[in-house]
């Protein structure tokens, strides 16, 4: 009993020493992937260190649920791979300790981590996702940092146009400054020209401070008589002058989070169930409405006056009479072709035009109904998928442990080389199968449940197979076993050619033998 406890302690210690860094590395990789995806929206916005730290913090929380399965599998493969490589598992089995007994503490930990993953996905993930996309949306709306280029008129500051002739390569000095004031939208009535100057920004990014040297400001004066072609102006020369321009849109303002709070990724399970019930009810009501509108559209019910050869009765009266009789009697005792042929040629043409118009209107309504129907169905499927994903990634922690632990004991390879490759390939396979299932669910081929749980249905038999092979000391994934098979095969069916070294050795022996004789 003491020996088993010591073994369990060593296994847990080895597992956690690998799981924690694996989790952080995986989260870091997902954060880099997100930043690379939104790089165009984040670069050049003058983001502060505090804002970037806040974004990375919420990104880390958002990716915990996705990172835990691959971290558990990687830690399991390396832990039991090291034990297999060092013949520790063989020693345990020879002492009567089965593989499951060795795995038992990590098995319990995997169950606990699965529960933690679900709680994280249900409570922390929605808020972290809400904050992340709220910050990204706010950053998108923020103006980029002010960039003044040589020889180009810059109009990023509202109401002003700034031009710089050239920039110093050794300091922040700029030369040949020109500033046009367009706040009153009356052209270039106020202009500042300077020989040189320096540009700085306030810490809150609300004001642009331009310190000018050796220049003048020109203001065009309005003439009372419009017919006079004189253009007087006022000129003030200066040696040093400071210009403060207000900046609008360069400061960071976070959007209201309520704008995104109803998105399916920002809801927990209880909210998703309530939302799904509401969407399903509206969806069923719309389908019933579409059915009544489409099947209630009858060409015979149009208020059009058609006359027969024999009398001048209103055709509407016939329609009202037909509405009162049963559908079976109508189809069996009334011939629409004879009614049409009894009309005059003029009214036959009119009836054909109306029938064509009704058919086109019905087709257009069908197209509108189909688009709205598909949109409502997609929105309903998205909510169901979001709910099932919370359970799938929690169960994936348990599944990936039961794949990683037997796989590590079978391959008997420790370290981060081969186990990392296997873990990444298996996780990518799991994720791609889920992506295909999600696509089929959106297309209507699968239900949301079948599409999202598809990788689980595939990986569960795989984990049972691997655990059985590991418990029975199978050589199914022993590379040396397959290498011996191939070597024997090629040795049997490949001609025995001598190497150059072997040929020289034989030649030397024959020569010595001839010399002796």
């Amino acid at each position: 009993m003491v020996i088993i406890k010591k073994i369990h302690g060593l296994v847990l210690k080895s597992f956690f020493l690998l799981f924690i860094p694996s989790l952080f590395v995986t989260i870091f990789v997902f954060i880099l992937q997100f930043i690379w995806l939104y790089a165009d929206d984040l670069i050049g916005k003058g983001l502060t260190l505090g804002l970037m730290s806040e974004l990375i913090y919420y990104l880390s929380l958002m990716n915990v649920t996705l990172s835990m399965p691959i971290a558990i599998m990687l830690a399991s493969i390396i832990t039991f791979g090291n034990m297999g490589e060092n013949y520790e598992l063989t020693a345990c089995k020879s002492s009567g300790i089965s593989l499951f007994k060795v795995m038992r503490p990590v098995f319990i930990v995997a169950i606990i981590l699965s529960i933690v993953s679900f709680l994280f996905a249900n409570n922390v993930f929605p808020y972290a996702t809400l904050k992340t996309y709220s910050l990204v949306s706010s950053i998108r709306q923020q103006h980029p940092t002010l960039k003044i280029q040589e020889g180009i008129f810059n109009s990023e500051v509202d109401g002003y146009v700034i031009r710089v002739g050239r920039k110093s390569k050794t300091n922040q000095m700029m030369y040949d400054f020109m500033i046009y004031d367009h706040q009153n939208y009356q052209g270039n009535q106020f202009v500042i020209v300077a020989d040189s100057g320096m540009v700085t920004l306030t810490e809150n990014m609300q004001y642009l401070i331009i310190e000018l040297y050796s220049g003048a400001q020109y203001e065009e004066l309005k003439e009372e008589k419009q017919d006079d072609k004189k253009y007087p102006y006022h000129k003030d020369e200066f040696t040093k002058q400071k210009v403060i321009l207000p900046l609008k849109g360069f400061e960071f303002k976070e959007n209201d989070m309520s704008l995104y709070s109803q998105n399916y990724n920002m809801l927990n399970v209880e909210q998703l169930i309530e939302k799904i019930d509401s969407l399903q009810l509206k969806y069923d009501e719309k389908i019933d409405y579409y059915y009544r509108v489409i099947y209630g559209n009858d060409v015979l019910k149009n208020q059009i006056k058609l006359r027969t050869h024999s009398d001048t009765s209103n055709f509407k009266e016939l329609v009202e009479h037909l509405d009162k009789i049963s559908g079976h009697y109508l189809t069996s005792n009334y011939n629409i072709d004879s009614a049409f042929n009894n009309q005059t040629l003029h009214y036959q043409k009119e009836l054909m035009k109306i029938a064509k118009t009704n058919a086109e209107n019905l087709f257009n309504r069908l197209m509108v109904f189909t688009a709205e129907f598909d949109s409502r169905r997609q929105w309903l499927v998205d909510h169901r998928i979001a709910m099932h994903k919370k359970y799938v990634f929690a169960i994936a922690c348990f599944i990936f442990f039961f794949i990683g632990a037997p796989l590590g004991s079978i391959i008997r390879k420790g370290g981060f080389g081969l186990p990392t490759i296997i873990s990444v390939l298996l996780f990518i396979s799991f994720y791609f199968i889920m992506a295909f299932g999600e696509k089929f669910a959106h297309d209507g081929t699968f239900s949301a449940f079948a599409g999202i749980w598809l990788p689980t249905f595939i990986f569960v038999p795989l984990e049972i197979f691997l655990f059985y092979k590991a418990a029975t000391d199978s050589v199914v994934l022993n590379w040396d076993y397959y290498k011996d098979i191939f070597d024997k095969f090629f040795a049997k069916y490949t001609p025995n050619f001598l190497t150059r070294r072997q040929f020289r050795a034989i030649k030397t022996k024959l020569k010595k033998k001839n010399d002796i004789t």
Side-chain angles (χ1 to χ4, degrees), residues 99-332:
L99 177 64
F100 183 75
K101 282 187 178 180
V102 178
M103 293 168 51
R104 185 183 298 168
V106 189
F107 170 78
I108 297 172
V109 169
I111 294 176
I112 296 173
L113 290 176
S114 298
I115 297 172
V116 171
S117 176
F118 173 75
L119 295 175
F120 220 92
N122 191 45
N123 299 300
V124 180
F125 175 80
Y127 182 75
T129 306
L130 177 61
K131 286 291 294 183
T132 298
Y133 284 99
S134 176
L135 287 172
V136 171
S137 177
S138 303
I139 293 170
R140 280 177 171 175
Q141 297 175 9
Q142 184 182 0
H143 288 320
T145 54
L146 186 65
K147 294 181 180 180
I148 301 176
Q149 300 180 3
E150 296 181 355
I152 295 177
F153 290 91
N154 188 296
S155 58
E156 293 181 3
V157 181
D158 293 341
Y160 296 91
V161 177
I162 303 173
R163 183 187 182 278
V164 173
R166 62 186 179 89
K167 294 181 180 181
S168 174
K169 297 181 179 180
T170 57
N171 51 39
Q172 297 181 350
M173 190 67 69
M174 303 180 187
Y175 300 94
D176 299 332
F177 252 100
M178 297 181 70
I179 302 174
Y180 297 87
D181 188 348
H182 291 168
Q183 292 186 99
N184 298 325
Y185 302 100
Q186 295 181 359
N188 301 325
Q189 291 188 351
F190 189 86
V191 183
I192 300 177
V193 180
D195 177 69
S196 59
M198 297 178 65
V199 177
T200 57
L201 286 171
T202 57
E203 293 182 0
N204 56 7
M205 301 286 290
Q206 293 184 1
Y207 295 96
L208 180 71
I209 301 175
I210 305 177
E211 194 167 344
L212 301 173
Y213 305 97
S214 303
Q217 59 183 24
Y218 301 87
E219 183 178 3
E220 185 178 333
L221 302 177
K222 292 184 177 179
E223 191 70 19
E224 295 182 358
K225 296 180 180 180
Q226 299 294 332
D227 297 335
D228 195 352
K229 295 185 178 180
K230 295 181 180 179
Y231 301 98
Y233 65 91
H234 180 77
K235 177 181 178 182
D236 289 329
E237 295 184 354
F238 59 85
T239 305
K240 180 179 179 181
Q241 180 171 322
K242 184 177 290 186
V243 180
I244 301 177
L245 306 180
L247 297 176
K248 297 179 181 179
F250 288 86
E251 69 279 4
F252 177 78
K253 294 180 180 179
E254 187 173 352
N255 291 338
D256 185 7
M257 290 194 299
S258 62
L259 298 173
Y260 315 97
S261 59
Q262 294 304 311
N263 186 279
Y264 51 86
N265 284 323
M266 287 67 169
L267 303 177
N268 58 32
V269 172
E270 293 180 0
Q271 293 170 332
L272 283 170
I273 292 174
E274 184 179 352
K275 192 72 176 291
I276 288 170
D277 291 339
S278 175
L279 291 174
Q280 185 67 54
L281 181 62
K282 293 179 181 179
Y283 181 76
D284 294 337
E285 289 176 354
K286 277 294 181 180
I287 289 179
D288 183 63
Y289 170 73
Y290 296 159
Y291 179 85
R292 287 187 282 106
V293 168
I294 293 170
Y295 284 93
N297 191 302
D298 195 341
V299 177
L300 297 175
K301 294 180 181 179
N302 285 283
Q303 297 182 7
I304 170 176
K305 294 181 179 180
L306 296 177
R307 303 176 184 277
T308 61
H309 288 293
S310 57
D311 57 55
T312 59
S313 62
N314 194 341
F315 198 74
K316 183 182 178 183
E317 297 177 1
L318 175 62
V319 174
E320 292 175 351
H321 172 68
L322 294 174
D323 285 340
K324 298 177 182 179
I325 62 179
S326 64
H328 176 73
Y329 181 84
L330 177 64
T331 55
S332 60

